[in-house]
Amino acid sequence: ETVMPELIREIVEAYGKVQPNLKKHHPDFPEAKTLLKRIKVGNPVRGRESLGADKDTEGSLHIIASVDRADERPLNIVIWGGSTELAQALWKVRNDRKPEELRTFLKKIRVYDISHQDNTGPWINEEFPDLFYVLSKAPKGKDKRDGGYRGMYLGGDESLTSRNWVDRYVRKERGPLGALYPTATWTAPNPHSTLKEGDTPSWFYFLQVGLSSPMHPEWGCWGGRFRHESKGLYVDAADSVGKITNARSTVSRWRAAYQNEFQARMEWCVKSPKEANHPPVAVLNKHMSQNAIELEAKPGEAVILSATGSSDPDGNALTYRWFVYREPGTYEGEVKIENG
C-alpha cells in the first residue's frame, strides 16, 4: 500500500492559480501556500494493526496538535479513506494522558465518517463510545449503495451529476482547478454515466448554509440526516421524497441547491464578480445568520416568520417559499402554513 499526498498538492496548486480570482468574490479563500503546509502524510498500512507505540505519523500528530490548540471551537474531522490516523491519535492520547484529560480531548472533536473504510472505525466506536461520531453507512447485510452519502449522486435528478453537466459547468472553461475534476471512476465506465462523488456530504455536513447545526445530526442538511444510535454515535436516517423512502434521499433531496452552489463557485474561478452569481443574503425575523435559528413557541401558538430584509448581492429578484421538513420533527399532523 502507499500514500499519495502529491495528488492533494496537485489540486491545491491548481486552486492557487484561481485563488486570486476567487478572493474577488469572497475574502476568506486562503492562499495555496497556507493549504500546502497543512497536508500531512499518514500510515500506508491501514487498520488496527497500525495502532500502538511508535506508530505515530504526521497525520496523527497533526490531529492531536489541532485539538490541543487554544481554540474553543470544536475540531471537525471528515473521514473518507479510513480512520487510521484518528485512531492512532486517540490511542496515543489515551495512553499518554490522564482519564479526565482524555475526556477533555474527546469533547473537542466532531467526526463525520463515510462508511468505515477500514477496521479502525468500529474500533473507535467501541473504545470511545462518547465521541461525537456521525457514520453514514449502509446497514450490515444491505446493499452498499444504501448508504445515505450516496445520495450525492444516486437518486433524484441524476442529470445534475451527469458527465454532460460536469463538462458544461465544471471541467470546461472553468480554469485549471475545474479541469482536474475526475471523470474516471469505477461507477462511470462510459462517458455518459453518472459520476461518483460520494464523499462530498462529509464536507457538506459542516458547511453552514442556514439549514442545520452540526451539533444536531437529526435535523438534516446537505450532508444527510441521522438518527441517534448510542451515546455519541449517529447513523443514517431515512427521508421520503415522492414515493421513495431511503437514506439516500436525505442527501439527494437537496441536489438542485448544492449543485447550483457548485456551478456558481466554479464560475468564480474565472469570472469577475459582475459576471457571476452569488448567494442571496437570507434574513429571518431580522436575524441574518448562516447558522440555524431557533424559535420557541407553545403548543397551538402561531409562529410568525418574516423574510423582510433579505437581499441579493447581484441585484436579482428574490422569491421565497416556507415549507415544513417533516422528518426531523416529531409532530404527526399537518402544519398549516399561511402565505407560504
Side-chain angles (χ1 to χ4, degrees):
E1 296 184 51
T2 185
V3 291
M4 303 180 72
E6 64 272 17
L7 295 181
I8 305 176
R9 294 191 188 101
E10 179 186 28
I11 293 170
V12 173
E13 287 165 358
Y15 160 81
K17 295 176 182 177
V18 298
Q19 187 267 351
N21 207 65
L22 287 168
K23 204 170 178 66
K24 296 176 183 177
H25 296 264
H26 197 288
D28 289 348
F29 283 101
E31 293 186 3
K33 63 181 181 182
T34 300
L35 299 179
L36 287 169
K37 292 177 182 177
R38 305 284 172 87
I39 298 171
K40 308 297 179 183
V41 176
N43 196 324
V45 180
R46 314 305 295 166
R48 291 169 64 168
E49 62 271 23
S50 301
L51 307 182
D54 302 322
K55 297 292 182 68
D56 301 324
T57 66
E58 278 187 2
S60 66
L61 292 175
H62 187 65
I63 290 173
I64 294 172
S66 298
V67 176
D68 286 343
R69 281 186 310 211
D71 191 327
E72 293 302 313
R73 296 174 299 174
L75 182 72
N76 301 322
I77 297 178
V78 297
I79 298 172
W80 29 269
S83 48
T84 299
E85 310 315 310
L86 173 59
Q88 174 61 23
L90 296 175
W91 186 95
K92 181 178 179 62
V93 170
R94 182 168 68 179
N95 280 269
D96 290 354
R97 303 185 186 183
K98 298 176 182 178
E100 60 268 26
E101 293 174 327
L102 172 63
R103 286 192 290 270
T104 299
F105 187 89
L106 293 175
K107 286 180 180 179
K108 287 196 67 176
I109 298 174
R110 297 188 296 203
V111 179
Y112 187 121
D113 180 2
I114 296 284
S115 202
H116 274 343
Q117 293 185 40
D118 67 48
N119 61 17
T120 59
W123 179 84
I124 291 172
N125 296 153
E126 293 166 8
E127 298 292 320
F128 305 93
D130 294 321
L131 178 64
F132 185 101
Y133 205 101
V134 174
L135 174 63
S136 188
K137 184 180 188 298
K140 189 174 181 179
K142 298 292 185 179
D143 190 321
K144 291 182 178 180
R145 291 172 295 183
D146 288 343
Y149 65 92
R150 295 186 190 269
M152 181 73 197
Y153 65 99
L154 290 177
D157 185 355
E158 293 185 6
S159 71
L160 295 176
T161 57
S162 68
R163 176 65 178 269
N164 290 337
W165 189 95
V166 170
D167 282 346
R168 180 177 181 181
Y169 297 114
V170 180
R171 295 182 68 242
K172 298 182 178 181
E173 299 180 5
R174 293 297 183 270
L177 181 60
L180 283 178
Y181 191 94
T183 58
T185 69
W186 66 271
T187 59
N190 68 70
H192 304 293
S193 58
T194 301
L195 301 186
K196 178 178 183 292
E197 191 188 327
D199 298 319
T200 302
S202 64
W203 295 92
F204 280 167
Y205 180 79
F206 296 110
L207 180 67
Q208 291 296 278
V209 292
L211 180 66
S212 63
S213 164
M215 290 306 297
H216 289 278
E218 73 279 10
W219 287 1
C221 63
W222 288 1
R225 191 174 65 81
F226 305 88
R227 59 181 177 81
H228 186 230
E229 176 76 0
S230 61
K231 292 191 176 181
L233 179 63
Y234 292 83
V235 298
D236 285 328
D239 277 4
S240 296
V241 179
K243 297 181 179 179
I244 297 174
T245 300
N246 58 24
R248 291 199 302 261
S249 295
T250 69
V251 175
S252 64
R253 69 182 304 154
W254 312 112
R255 186 176 300 138
Y258 58 68
Q259 291 298 80
N260 186 51
E261 177 89 3
F262 189 14
Q263 176 184 336
R265 288 182 181 230
M266 293 311 300
E267 289 183 349
W268 298 359
C269 292
V270 295
K271 294 185 178 182
S272 70
K274 289 185 179 180
E275 297 174 302
N277 194 265
H278 304 86
V281 178
V283 175
L284 171 63
N285 293 6
K286 300 182 179 180
H287 294 283
M288 183 177 67
S289 175
Q290 286 184 298
N291 299 316
I293 295 169
E294 297 183 50
L295 304 176
E296 291 188 7
K298 297 176 181 177
E301 184 180 350
V303 176
I304 298 175
L305 303 173
S306 172
T308 300
S310 299
S311 61
D312 187 84
D314 305 312
N316 294 328
L318 291 178
T319 61
Y320 65 88
R321 178 173 69 94
W322 303 105
F323 69 98
V324 174
Y325 184 9
R326 291 180 59 93
E327 284 88 349
T330 57
Y331 183 59
E332 298 295 337
E334 289 292 330
V335 178
K336 183 180 181 181
I337 299 179
E338 297 179 355
N339 303 316

